[in-house]
């Protein structure tokens, strides 16, 4: 009986501790998400000028120590921001290319996605991250990995084309050329709003798809 009682007590303690730990874990995840959101706000607003873990903690309304509990240093927080924005620019592109249909249908989805206006905050955030990458190797490596996924999606689009046509062409240079053009077009568009993005993209797609 004593053994049974002890076992019951242990089970009760375990059950009581389980939800408690779950609540603590959920609260920790919420705090981490709030810190990343605050970091995004600072980077999109002031670029990298005022970006410190202390300023992020203050904006988030938590202690500086709490910020470092979740992120060892500023770089780790920046890398978390890089990962946090993935669903806003890379994931939709990957989904557009991986979706149903042949090359024409996928290309249409890609063009529609690329000609959708980018939010000003996301544009400023990208600029701030690029600046930080110039002076921090870990940020550069993280951002480089994201752009590798970005380019790979375009390579996937042209791989669909060459497979569909049964051609013996390497889709890698086609996809990377298109990715470079898209990045350049975004930079031009930030300075000159008169550029017809859709016309340029369609012209480039036609040229690359017909090049032998």
């Amino acid at each position: 009986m004593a053994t049974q009682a002890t076992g019951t007590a242990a089970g009760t303690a375990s059950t009581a501790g389980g939800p408690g730990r779950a609540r603590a874990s959920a609260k920790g995840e919420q705090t981490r998400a709030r810190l990343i959101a605050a970091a995004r706000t600072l980077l999109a607003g002031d670029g990298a000028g005022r970006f410190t873990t202390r300023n992020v903690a203050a904006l988030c309304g938590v202690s500086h120590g709490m910020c470092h509990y979740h992120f060892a240093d500023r770089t780790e927080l920046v890398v978390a921001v890089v990962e946090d924005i993935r669903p806003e620019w890379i994931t939709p592109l990957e989904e557009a290319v991986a979706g149903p249909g042949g090359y024409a249908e996928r290309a249409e989805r890609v063009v529609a996605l690329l000609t959708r206006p980018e939010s000003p905050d996301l544009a400023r955030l990208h600029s701030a991250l690029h600046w930080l990458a110039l002076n921090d190797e870990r940020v550069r490596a993280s951002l480089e990995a994201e752009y590798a996924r970005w380019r790979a999606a375009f390579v996937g689009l042209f791989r669909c084309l060459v497979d569909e046509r049964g051609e013996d062409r390497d889709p890698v240079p086609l996809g990377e050329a298109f990715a470079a053009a898209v990045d350049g077009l975004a930079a031009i568009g930030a300075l000159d709003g008169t550029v017809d993005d859709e016309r340029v993209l369609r012209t480039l797609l036609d040229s690359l798809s017909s090049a032998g």
Side-chain angles (χ1 to χ4, degrees):
M1 288 294 290
T3 303
Q4 183 179 357
T6 302
T8 303
T12 303
S14 176
T15 301
R21 285 194 296 271
R23 285 194 296 270
S25 176
K27 185 176 180 181
E29 287 301 312
Q30 290 172 1
T31 301
R32 189 178 189 277
R34 286 169 51 209
L35 285 164
I36 293 174
R40 289 185 56 157
T41 298
L42 268 183
L43 288 171
D46 298 317
R50 293 181 56 249
F51 186 77
T52 64
T53 53
R54 191 174 298 278
N55 286 339
V56 169
L59 182 60
C60 187
V62 301
S63 69
H64 189 214
M66 179 59 72
C67 183
H68 280 285
Y69 173 81
H70 290 281
F71 302 99
D73 53 24
R74 187 180 85 151
T75 297
E76 191 172 301
L77 179 53
V78 174
V79 169
V81 170
V82 171
E83 295 171 353
D84 189 65
I85 65 174
R86 183 183 301 149
E88 298 169 46
W89 68 296
I90 293 179
T91 304
L93 177 63
E94 292 176 331
E95 291 174 346
V97 172
Y103 168 77
E105 290 85 357
R106 299 178 196 216
E108 281 299 320
R109 290 195 295 267
V110 167
V111 170
L113 182 65
L114 295 177
T115 53
R116 184 186 305 167
E118 183 179 38
S119 75
D121 281 352
L122 187 59
R124 289 193 293 266
L125 190 51
H126 269 121
S127 296
L129 291 171
H130 289 164
W131 188 91
L132 288 166
L134 294 175
N135 302 284
D136 190 315
E137 178 61 26
R138 285 157 59 199
V139 175
R140 188 201 65 77
S142 177
L143 204 55
E144 181 181 25
E146 296 301 296
Y147 273 98
R149 288 184 62 159
W150 171 255
R151 295 193 305 274
F154 292 117
V155 171
L157 176 64
F158 283 97
R159 180 171 288 112
C160 176
L161 172 70
V162 298
D163 288 347
E164 189 174 275
R165 293 180 177 176
E167 297 175 337
D168 185 22
R169 281 202 289 168
D170 185 356
V172 174
L174 297 174
E176 292 189 341
F178 189 71
V182 169
D183 289 338
L185 188 60
I188 293 171
L191 301 173
D192 183 0
T194 65
V195 177
D196 188 337
D197 291 357
E198 182 174 353
R199 182 178 181 184
V200 171
L201 291 174
R202 290 189 183 281
T203 299
L204 185 57
L205 278 174
D206 289 344
S207 298
L208 290 173
S209 63
S210 62

